């Protein structure tokens, strides 16, 4: 980005006003001033009063020669200004060497292409891994469905009511098991229910 900005700065400097040709070289055409300097109106009145030039005259009058000469000088000055301007612009163009900027731009393009190819390669590898993982999970799901005979129907997920029922049953079974353990392994009987049966058998004998 810095190289491109430097290139733009050089282009801007090339067209800056610092090296423009002298503005005095380019004349400013003022018709009123020219008319006054050449006394066009006065001479026209004077010649007209004397009937000069005649209506059949084909030669230019002295006033017309003066106008033509003044316009010729203006034309030469404009051409001179244009030649100087072209020369200055050409010198500026010759002084600018854009080879370094062009080479740097080419290098940036090549670096971008390499970085893009590297990122694409990494993304391809990651995509291949994800695809393989998806295929493995799909195969595992197919095996599970076949093993549990779920090929023709989807798996049934328990709803909220069933989860509450199952939880209640689990709680009841836990309480029953705790009561049974308390009864079988009560304090004072080392063998619990088994010891009591032994005692009953001994009394009957």
């Amino acid at each position: 980005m810095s190289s491109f900005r430097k290139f733009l700065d050089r282009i801007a400097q090339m067209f800056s006003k610092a090296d423009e040709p002298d503005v005095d070289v380019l004349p400013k055409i003022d018709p009123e001033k020219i008319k006054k300097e050449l006394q066009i109106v006065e001479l026209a009145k004077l010649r007209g009063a004397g009937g000069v030039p005649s209506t059949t005259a084909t030669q230019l009058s002295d006033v017309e020669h003066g106008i033509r000469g003044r316009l010729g000088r203006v034309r030469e000055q404009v051409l001179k200004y244009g030649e100087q301007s072209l020369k200055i612009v050409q010198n500026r163009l010759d002084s600018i060497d854009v080879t370094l900027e062009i080479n740097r731009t080419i290098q940036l393009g090549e670096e971008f292409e390499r970085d893009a190819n590297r990122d694409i390669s990494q993304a391809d590898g990651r995509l291949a891994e994800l695809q393989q993982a998806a295929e493995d999970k799909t195969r595992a799901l197919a095996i599970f469905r076949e093993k549990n005979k779920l090929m023709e129907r989807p798996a049934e997920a328990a709803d909220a009511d069933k989860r509450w029922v199952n939880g209640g049953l689990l709680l009841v079974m836990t309480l029953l098991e705790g009561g049974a353990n308390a009864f079988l392994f009560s304090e004072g009987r080392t063998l619990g229910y088994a010891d009591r049966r032994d005692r009953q058998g001994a009394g009957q004998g």
Side-chain angles (χ1 to χ4, degrees), residues 6-38:
K6 290 180 181 179
F7 177 72
L8 293 180
D9 292 340
R10 289 189 179 183
I11 295 297
Q13 293 175 1
M14 182 182 69
F15 293 101
S16 64
K17 297 182 179 180
D19 297 331
E20 287 185 354
D22 189 359
V23 294
D24 294 334
V25 177
L26 182 63
K28 297 179 181 180
I29 301 177
D30 187 352
E32 294 297 329
K33 183 178 180 181
I34 295 175
K35 183 171 64 176
K36 184 177 181 180
E37 290 179 355
L38 297 179

mmCIF file of all heavy atoms in Angstrom, residues 6-38:
data_model
loop_
_atom_site.group_PDB
_atom_site.id
_atom_site.type_symbol
_atom_site.label_atom_id
_atom_site.label_comp_id
_atom_site.label_asym_id
_atom_site.label_seq_id
_atom_site.Cartn_x
_atom_site.Cartn_y
_atom_site.Cartn_z
ATOM 1 N N LYS A 6 3.106 6.135 -2.732
ATOM 2 C CA LYS A 6 4.238 6.906 -3.244
ATOM 3 C C LYS A 6 4.089 7.155 -4.736
ATOM 4 O O LYS A 6 4.404 8.241 -5.235
ATOM 5 C CB LYS A 6 5.540 6.153 -2.957
ATOM 6 C CG LYS A 6 5.919 6.112 -1.490
ATOM 7 C CD LYS A 6 7.218 5.342 -1.292
ATOM 8 C CE LYS A 6 7.605 5.282 0.182
ATOM 9 N NZ LYS A 6 8.860 4.509 0.382
ATOM 10 N N PHE A 7 3.608 6.136 -5.443
ATOM 11 C CA PHE A 7 3.402 6.303 -6.879
ATOM 12 C C PHE A 7 2.370 7.394 -7.160
ATOM 13 O O PHE A 7 2.551 8.233 -8.035
ATOM 14 C CB PHE A 7 2.952 4.971 -7.471
ATOM 15 C CG PHE A 7 2.634 5.030 -8.936
ATOM 16 C CD1 PHE A 7 3.641 5.161 -9.882
ATOM 17 C CD2 PHE A 7 1.325 4.973 -9.369
ATOM 18 C CE1 PHE A 7 3.344 5.216 -11.230
ATOM 19 C CE2 PHE A 7 1.016 5.030 -10.711
ATOM 20 C CZ PHE A 7 2.034 5.154 -11.648
ATOM 21 N N LEU A 8 1.281 7.411 -6.393
ATOM 22 C CA LEU A 8 0.268 8.448 -6.569
ATOM 23 C C LEU A 8 0.805 9.826 -6.213
ATOM 24 O O LEU A 8 0.469 10.825 -6.868
ATOM 25 C CB LEU A 8 -0.958 8.123 -5.708
ATOM 26 C CG LEU A 8 -1.771 6.882 -6.110
ATOM 27 C CD1 LEU A 8 -2.942 6.693 -5.160
ATOM 28 C CD2 LEU A 8 -2.269 7.007 -7.543
ATOM 29 N N ASP A 9 1.650 9.894 -5.170
ATOM 30 C CA ASP A 9 2.244 11.181 -4.799
ATOM 31 C C ASP A 9 3.128 11.719 -5.914
ATOM 32 O O ASP A 9 3.137 12.931 -6.184
ATOM 33 C CB ASP A 9 3.058 11.027 -3.514
ATOM 34 C CG ASP A 9 2.163 10.747 -2.316
ATOM 35 O OD1 ASP A 9 0.951 11.052 -2.401
ATOM 36 O OD2 ASP A 9 2.665 10.224 -1.305
ATOM 37 N N ARG A 10 3.849 10.836 -6.574
ATOM 38 C CA ARG A 10 4.696 11.296 -7.680
ATOM 39 C C ARG A 10 3.854 11.799 -8.841
ATOM 40 O O ARG A 10 4.199 12.795 -9.479
ATOM 41 C CB ARG A 10 5.595 10.152 -8.151
ATOM 42 C CG ARG A 10 6.683 9.801 -7.147
ATOM 43 C CD ARG A 10 7.674 8.827 -7.749
ATOM 44 N NE ARG A 10 8.723 8.489 -6.821
ATOM 45 C CZ ARG A 10 9.754 7.701 -7.111
ATOM 46 N NH1 ARG A 10 9.841 7.158 -8.322
ATOM 47 N NH2 ARG A 10 10.682 7.432 -6.215
ATOM 48 N N ILE A 11 2.756 11.118 -9.112
ATOM 49 C CA ILE A 11 1.875 11.588 -10.182
ATOM 50 C C ILE A 11 1.302 12.956 -9.831
ATOM 51 O O ILE A 11 1.218 13.858 -10.685
ATOM 52 C CB ILE A 11 0.741 10.581 -10.421
ATOM 53 C CG1 ILE A 11 1.320 9.248 -10.935
ATOM 54 C CG2 ILE A 11 -0.273 11.127 -11.416
ATOM 55 C CD1 ILE A 11 2.012 9.360 -12.279
ATOM 56 N N ALA A 12 0.927 13.147 -8.567
ATOM 57 C CA ALA A 12 0.385 14.440 -8.151
ATOM 58 C C ALA A 12 1.440 15.531 -8.247
ATOM 59 O O ALA A 12 1.153 16.663 -8.667
ATOM 60 C CB ALA A 12 -0.147 14.341 -6.719
ATOM 61 N N GLN A 13 2.670 15.216 -7.863
ATOM 62 C CA GLN A 13 3.737 16.199 -7.969
ATOM 63 C C GLN A 13 4.037 16.542 -9.416
ATOM 64 O O GLN A 13 4.403 17.670 -9.735
ATOM 65 C CB GLN A 13 5.011 15.667 -7.290
ATOM 66 C CG GLN A 13 4.878 15.530 -5.775
ATOM 67 C CD GLN A 13 6.100 14.903 -5.157
ATOM 68 O OE1 GLN A 13 7.063 14.577 -5.866
ATOM 69 N NE2 GLN A 13 6.070 14.717 -3.842
ATOM 70 N N MET A 14 3.858 15.572 -10.292
ATOM 71 C CA MET A 14 4.140 15.815 -11.698
ATOM 72 C C MET A 14 3.207 16.878 -12.263
ATOM 73 O O MET A 14 3.585 17.677 -13.117
ATOM 74 C CB MET A 14 3.985 14.506 -12.479
ATOM 75 C CG MET A 14 4.307 14.632 -13.961
ATOM 76 S SD MET A 14 4.047 13.080 -14.830
ATOM 77 C CE MET A 14 2.263 12.973 -14.738
ATOM 78 N N PHE A 15 1.985 16.905 -11.760
ATOM 79 C CA PHE A 15 1.017 17.865 -12.255
ATOM 80 C C PHE A 15 0.778 19.009 -11.272
ATOM 81 O O PHE A 15 -0.258 19.667 -11.316
ATOM 82 C CB PHE A 15 -0.311 17.166 -12.557
ATOM 83 C CG PHE A 15 -0.222 16.202 -13.699
ATOM 84 C CD1 PHE A 15 -0.117 14.839 -13.465
ATOM 85 C CD2 PHE A 15 -0.209 16.653 -15.005
ATOM 86 C CE1 PHE A 15 -0.021 13.944 -14.516
ATOM 87 C CE2 PHE A 15 -0.124 15.760 -16.054
ATOM 88 C CZ PHE A 15 -0.018 14.406 -15.814
ATOM 89 N N SER A 16 1.723 19.231 -10.386
ATOM 90 C CA SER A 16 1.603 20.359 -9.471
ATOM 91 C C SER A 16 1.880 21.664 -10.204
ATOM 92 O O SER A 16 2.403 21.698 -11.314
ATOM 93 C CB SER A 16 2.588 20.190 -8.305
ATOM 94 O OG SER A 16 3.919 20.217 -8.775
ATOM 95 N N LYS A 17 1.541 22.769 -9.548
ATOM 96 C CA LYS A 17 1.681 24.083 -10.177
ATOM 97 C C LYS A 17 3.088 24.667 -10.022
ATOM 98 O O LYS A 17 3.351 25.765 -10.486
ATOM 99 C CB LYS A 17 0.660 25.049 -9.570
ATOM 100 C CG LYS A 17 -0.773 24.629 -9.833
ATOM 101 C CD LYS A 17 -1.732 25.644 -9.255
ATOM 102 C CE LYS A 17 -3.176 25.260 -9.538
ATOM 103 N NZ LYS A 17 -4.147 26.228 -8.975
ATOM 104 N N ALA A 18 3.958 23.951 -9.349
ATOM 105 C CA ALA A 18 5.280 24.521 -9.081
ATOM 106 C C ALA A 18 6.084 24.715 -10.357
ATOM 107 O O ALA A 18 6.835 25.686 -10.481
ATOM 108 C CB ALA A 18 6.050 23.613 -8.106
ATOM 109 N N ASP A 19 5.949 23.807 -11.318
ATOM 110 C CA ASP A 19 6.759 23.866 -12.532
ATOM 111 C C ASP A 19 5.960 24.297 -13.750
ATOM 112 O O ASP A 19 6.354 24.024 -14.873
ATOM 113 C CB ASP A 19 7.389 22.485 -12.800
ATOM 114 C CG ASP A 19 8.348 22.086 -11.684
ATOM 115 O OD1 ASP A 19 8.913 22.996 -11.074
ATOM 116 O OD2 ASP A 19 8.488 20.875 -11.436
ATOM 117 N N GLU A 20 4.805 24.926 -13.545
ATOM 118 C CA GLU A 20 4.024 25.366 -14.683
ATOM 119 C C GLU A 20 4.744 26.495 -15.416
ATOM 120 O O GLU A 20 5.480 27.274 -14.811
ATOM 121 C CB GLU A 20 2.642 25.847 -14.219
ATOM 122 C CG GLU A 20 1.722 24.730 -13.802
ATOM 123 C CD GLU A 20 0.344 25.249 -13.466
ATOM 124 O OE1 GLU A 20 0.198 26.497 -13.470
ATOM 125 O OE2 GLU A 20 -0.551 24.441 -13.223
ATOM 126 N N PRO A 21 4.548 26.635 -16.720
ATOM 127 C CA PRO A 21 5.162 27.732 -17.449
ATOM 128 C C PRO A 21 4.630 29.068 -16.982
ATOM 129 O O PRO A 21 3.565 29.158 -16.369
ATOM 130 C CB PRO A 21 4.769 27.444 -18.907
ATOM 131 C CG PRO A 21 3.564 26.582 -18.808
ATOM 132 C CD PRO A 21 3.738 25.775 -17.566
ATOM 133 N N ASP A 22 5.401 30.091 -17.270
ATOM 134 C CA ASP A 22 5.040 31.435 -16.834
ATOM 135 C C ASP A 22 3.684 31.820 -17.414
ATOM 136 O O ASP A 22 3.444 31.742 -18.618
ATOM 137 C CB ASP A 22 6.115 32.428 -17.296
ATOM 138 C CG ASP A 22 5.907 33.799 -16.687
ATOM 139 O OD1 ASP A 22 4.932 33.966 -15.937
ATOM 140 O OD2 ASP A 22 6.710 34.695 -16.987
ATOM 141 N N VAL A 23 2.785 32.271 -16.531
ATOM 142 C CA VAL A 23 1.451 32.618 -17.003
ATOM 143 C C VAL A 23 1.471 33.850 -17.900
ATOM 144 O O VAL A 23 0.540 34.073 -18.672
ATOM 145 C CB VAL A 23 0.519 32.868 -15.797
ATOM 146 C CG1 VAL A 23 0.299 31.590 -15.019
ATOM 147 C CG2 VAL A 23 1.072 33.953 -14.884
ATOM 148 N N ASP A 24 2.543 34.636 -17.817
ATOM 149 C CA ASP A 24 2.617 35.819 -18.664
ATOM 150 C C ASP A 24 2.811 35.431 -20.126
ATOM 151 O O ASP A 24 2.561 36.237 -21.025
ATOM 152 C CB ASP A 24 3.765 36.725 -18.221
ATOM 153 C CG ASP A 24 3.499 37.301 -16.822
ATOM 154 O OD1 ASP A 24 2.302 37.400 -16.465
ATOM 155 O OD2 ASP A 24 4.456 37.638 -16.124
ATOM 156 N N VAL A 25 3.301 34.204 -20.365
ATOM 157 C CA VAL A 25 3.517 33.767 -21.742
ATOM 158 C C VAL A 25 2.180 33.577 -22.444
ATOM 159 O O VAL A 25 2.048 33.839 -23.643
ATOM 160 C CB VAL A 25 4.334 32.461 -21.763
ATOM 161 C CG1 VAL A 25 4.492 31.956 -23.188
ATOM 162 C CG2 VAL A 25 5.693 32.691 -21.114
ATOM 163 N N LEU A 26 1.179 33.120 -21.717
ATOM 164 C CA LEU A 26 -0.140 32.917 -22.299
ATOM 165 C C LEU A 26 -0.898 34.238 -22.248
ATOM 166 O O LEU A 26 -1.253 34.723 -21.177
ATOM 167 C CB LEU A 26 -0.910 31.849 -21.530
ATOM 168 C CG LEU A 26 -2.305 31.503 -22.062
ATOM 169 C CD1 LEU A 26 -2.196 30.920 -23.467
ATOM 170 C CD2 LEU A 26 -3.006 30.524 -21.131
ATOM 171 N N PRO A 27 -1.153 34.857 -23.391
ATOM 172 C CA PRO A 27 -1.794 36.176 -23.397
ATOM 173 C C PRO A 27 -3.264 36.088 -23.027
ATOM 174 O O PRO A 27 -3.916 35.080 -23.251
ATOM 175 C CB PRO A 27 -1.612 36.633 -24.845
ATOM 176 C CG PRO A 27 -1.576 35.366 -25.624
ATOM 177 C CD PRO A 27 -0.880 34.369 -24.748
ATOM 178 N N LYS A 28 -3.721 37.154 -22.448
ATOM 179 C CA LYS A 28 -5.131 37.286 -22.136
ATOM 180 C C LYS A 28 -5.765 38.171 -23.200
ATOM 181 O O LYS A 28 -5.413 39.348 -23.335
ATOM 182 C CB LYS A 28 -5.320 37.888 -20.758
ATOM 183 C CG LYS A 28 -4.774 37.031 -19.634
ATOM 184 C CD LYS A 28 -4.965 37.691 -18.282
ATOM 185 C CE LYS A 28 -4.398 36.824 -17.163
ATOM 186 N NZ LYS A 28 -4.581 37.471 -15.834
ATOM 187 N N ILE A 29 -6.686 37.642 -23.962
ATOM 188 C CA ILE A 29 -7.319 38.367 -25.048
ATOM 189 C C ILE A 29 -8.436 39.239 -24.478
ATOM 190 O O ILE A 29 -9.395 38.736 -23.910
ATOM 191 C CB ILE A 29 -7.868 37.391 -26.100
ATOM 192 C CG1 ILE A 29 -6.730 36.527 -26.664
ATOM 193 C CG2 ILE A 29 -8.584 38.140 -27.209
ATOM 194 C CD1 ILE A 29 -7.192 35.486 -27.648
ATOM 195 N N ASP A 30 -8.243 40.540 -24.618
ATOM 196 C CA ASP A 30 -9.242 41.504 -24.164
ATOM 197 C C ASP A 30 -9.717 42.279 -25.384
ATOM 198 O O ASP A 30 -9.032 43.213 -25.855
ATOM 199 C CB ASP A 30 -8.633 42.437 -23.121
ATOM 200 C CG ASP A 30 -9.662 43.359 -22.486
ATOM 201 O OD1 ASP A 30 -10.813 43.364 -22.963
ATOM 202 O OD2 ASP A 30 -9.302 44.085 -21.535
ATOM 203 N N PRO A 31 -10.880 41.937 -25.942
ATOM 204 C CA PRO A 31 -11.339 42.618 -27.163
ATOM 205 C C PRO A 31 -11.449 44.125 -26.998
ATOM 206 O O PRO A 31 -11.100 44.874 -27.919
ATOM 207 C CB PRO A 31 -12.708 41.973 -27.416
ATOM 208 C CG PRO A 31 -12.639 40.646 -26.735
ATOM 209 C CD PRO A 31 -11.791 40.864 -25.525
ATOM 210 N N GLU A 32 -11.904 44.598 -25.860
ATOM 211 C CA GLU A 32 -12.058 46.047 -25.671
ATOM 212 C C GLU A 32 -10.704 46.744 -25.668
ATOM 213 O O GLU A 32 -10.547 47.840 -26.236
ATOM 214 C CB GLU A 32 -12.794 46.303 -24.354
ATOM 215 C CG GLU A 32 -14.228 45.808 -24.345
ATOM 216 C CD GLU A 32 -15.086 46.525 -25.389
ATOM 217 O OE1 GLU A 32 -14.802 47.707 -25.683
ATOM 218 O OE2 GLU A 32 -16.023 45.901 -25.895
ATOM 219 N N LYS A 33 -9.729 46.097 -25.052
ATOM 220 C CA LYS A 33 -8.405 46.696 -25.014
ATOM 221 C C LYS A 33 -7.782 46.737 -26.405
ATOM 222 O O LYS A 33 -7.152 47.738 -26.800
ATOM 223 C CB LYS A 33 -7.514 45.891 -24.066
ATOM 224 C CG LYS A 33 -6.124 46.465 -23.891
ATOM 225 C CD LYS A 33 -5.330 45.635 -22.888
ATOM 226 C CE LYS A 33 -3.937 46.215 -22.708
ATOM 227 N NZ LYS A 33 -3.138 45.405 -21.744
ATOM 228 N N ILE A 34 -7.928 45.644 -27.153
ATOM 229 C CA ILE A 34 -7.393 45.606 -28.521
ATOM 230 C C ILE A 34 -8.091 46.661 -29.393
ATOM 231 O O ILE A 34 -7.448 47.353 -30.191
ATOM 232 C CB ILE A 34 -7.565 44.191 -29.113
ATOM 233 C CG1 ILE A 34 -6.707 43.183 -28.328
ATOM 234 C CG2 ILE A 34 -7.186 44.177 -30.585
ATOM 235 C CD1 ILE A 34 -6.902 41.760 -28.760
ATOM 236 N N LYS A 35 -9.396 46.759 -29.238
ATOM 237 C CA LYS A 35 -10.143 47.756 -30.033
ATOM 238 C C LYS A 35 -9.679 49.162 -29.718
ATOM 239 O O LYS A 35 -9.566 50.009 -30.619
ATOM 240 C CB LYS A 35 -11.631 47.598 -29.747
ATOM 241 C CG LYS A 35 -12.523 48.516 -30.553
ATOM 242 C CD LYS A 35 -13.990 48.163 -30.394
ATOM 243 C CE LYS A 35 -14.430 48.356 -28.970
ATOM 244 N NZ LYS A 35 -15.892 48.115 -28.817
ATOM 245 N N LYS A 36 -9.355 49.405 -28.458
ATOM 246 C CA LYS A 36 -8.905 50.731 -28.072
ATOM 247 C C LYS A 36 -7.493 51.011 -28.557
ATOM 248 O O LYS A 36 -7.173 52.116 -29.034
ATOM 249 C CB LYS A 36 -8.992 50.883 -26.557
ATOM 250 C CG LYS A 36 -8.636 52.269 -26.048
ATOM 251 C CD LYS A 36 -8.816 52.343 -24.535
ATOM 252 C CE LYS A 36 -8.484 53.732 -24.019
ATOM 253 N NZ LYS A 36 -8.646 53.852 -22.552
ATOM 254 N N GLU A 37 -6.597 50.003 -28.420
ATOM 255 C CA GLU A 37 -5.206 50.193 -28.845
ATOM 256 C C GLU A 37 -5.111 50.407 -30.350
ATOM 257 O O GLU A 37 -4.317 51.234 -30.823
ATOM 258 C CB GLU A 37 -4.367 48.981 -28.429
ATOM 259 C CG GLU A 37 -4.154 48.874 -26.925
ATOM 260 C CD GLU A 37 -3.348 47.646 -26.549
ATOM 261 O OE1 GLU A 37 -3.051 46.837 -27.464
ATOM 262 O OE2 GLU A 37 -3.020 47.469 -25.358
ATOM 263 N N LEU A 38 -5.884 49.668 -31.106
ATOM 264 C CA LEU A 38 -5.828 49.796 -32.568
ATOM 265 C C LEU A 38 -6.741 50.905 -33.109
ATOM 266 O O LEU A 38 -6.753 51.137 -34.319
ATOM 267 C CB LEU A 38 -6.210 48.459 -33.215
ATOM 268 C CG LEU A 38 -5.293 47.275 -32.913
ATOM 269 C CD1 LEU A 38 -5.803 46.015 -33.582
ATOM 270 C CD2 LEU A 38 -3.863 47.563 -33.357
#
